[in-house]
Amino acid sequence: MDSYELSKLDIRIFGKWDTKVDIRDPSLKKYISLMPVYLPHSGGRHEHRRFGKARVSIVERLINELMRPGKNKGKKILAYNIVKATFELINARTGQNPLQVLVRAIENSAPREEVTRIMYGGIVYYVAVDVSPQRRVDIVLRNLVDGARQAAFNNPKPIEEALADELIAAANGDNRSFAIRKKEEMERIALSSR
């Protein structure tokens, strides 16, 4: 099936949200997949191809990130329902397409520079390096989910609300977002070790 036939089908994320979203950051355009899918569950078919995860839907990557070790390990249906409820909350609060809010959050909180260790003659020192676009997306998804998980831990606020708050704050560039704070911290450390 080619892209023209896919566009005629009008497939939507969770049956509601349109995938026609604009990505402002040109470096991330190739790594944020907005391919329309009925069910965001690829079953790991991308795993043995180089840069295969760049073709996995960004919503599925968010769902997979929610299944990190801990309380929700391996429970994809639970993670699917969390993201679905989060998208409903985002739409109710902002009136925007939740997929657009997710893409803005990724663009605003993806770090551009980080620090790596270099060992030279028994001496270890840190050097600032640019972050590849795929790693930028990986880091930001992890930070968004970690921020939501920390906000919901030992708190009556459910994870759906915490994730919606995190995504909305990151999309607005608000400093209350855990992912934005982590990005600024990484870039500040990299700046000091140039």
Side-chain angles (χ1 to χ4, degrees):
M1 212 181 252
D2 62 356
S3 61
Y4 175 72
E5 290 174 11
L6 275 175
S7 66
K8 282 179 25 182
L9 290 176
D10 193 36
I11 302 170
R12 295 171 176 263
I13 300 288
F14 301 123
K16 286 185 172 186
W17 316 114
D18 192 17
T19 56
K20 290 174 180 64
V21 173
D22 67 309
I23 301 171
R24 289 186 292 196
D25 192 336
S27 67
L28 297 180
K29 196 169 261 188
K30 194 173 169 185
Y31 297 96
I32 298 177
S33 173
L34 296 169
M35 187 177 74
V37 290
Y38 285 116
L39 183 68
H41 179 70
S42 65
R45 286 187 290 270
H46 66 280
E47 191 159 334
H48 299 294
R49 269 182 254 130
R50 187 169 186 209
F51 302 116
K53 67 181 169 183
R55 280 178 256 159
V56 176
S57 168
I58 196 68
V59 176
E60 182 181 352
R61 292 193 60 198
L62 180 67
I63 289 170
N64 291 343
E65 200 62 49
L66 275 167
M67 296 193 305
R68 282 284 173 167
K71 189 177 176 186
N72 301 331
K73 182 178 181 186
K75 300 177 183 175
K76 189 146 191 175
I77 296 294
L78 179 64
Y80 174 88
N81 289 333
I82 288 170
V83 172
K84 190 174 180 179
T86 299
F87 276 22
E88 295 286 347
L89 281 169
I90 290 171
N91 185 42
R93 289 182 188 172
T94 63
Q96 297 177 343
N97 183 351
L99 208 53
Q100 182 69 60
V101 172
L102 173 64
V103 168
R104 285 288 168 268
I106 289 170
E107 289 173 344
N108 289 343
S109 50
R112 293 178 201 88
E113 214 176 16
E114 68 179 339
V115 175
T116 188
R117 284 174 43 139
I118 292 185
M119 196 162 179
Y120 191 73
I123 299 169
V124 175
Y125 59 96
Y126 295 91
V127 177
V129 293
D130 293 337
V131 185
S132 71
Q134 179 137 6
R135 181 161 165 77
R136 287 178 71 192
V137 174
D138 294 344
I139 289 171
V140 74
L141 286 174
R142 184 179 338 122
N143 287 341
L144 288 168
V145 170
D146 281 351
R149 192 174 284 130
Q150 286 177 13
F153 186 71
N154 277 345
N155 200 345
K157 181 195 282 192
I159 186 88
E160 295 89 354
E161 279 185 38
L163 186 58
D165 291 344
E166 181 71 29
L167 288 173
I168 291 169
N172 294 333
D174 194 350
N175 214 13
R176 287 180 304 195
S177 166
F178 177 80
I180 295 282
R181 286 196 312 266
K182 287 291 274 189
K183 170 198 172 187
E184 288 172 354
E185 178 189 341
M186 285 175 79
E187 289 180 348
R188 191 182 68 244
I189 292 169
L191 182 66
S192 68
S193 62
R194 267 190 196 161

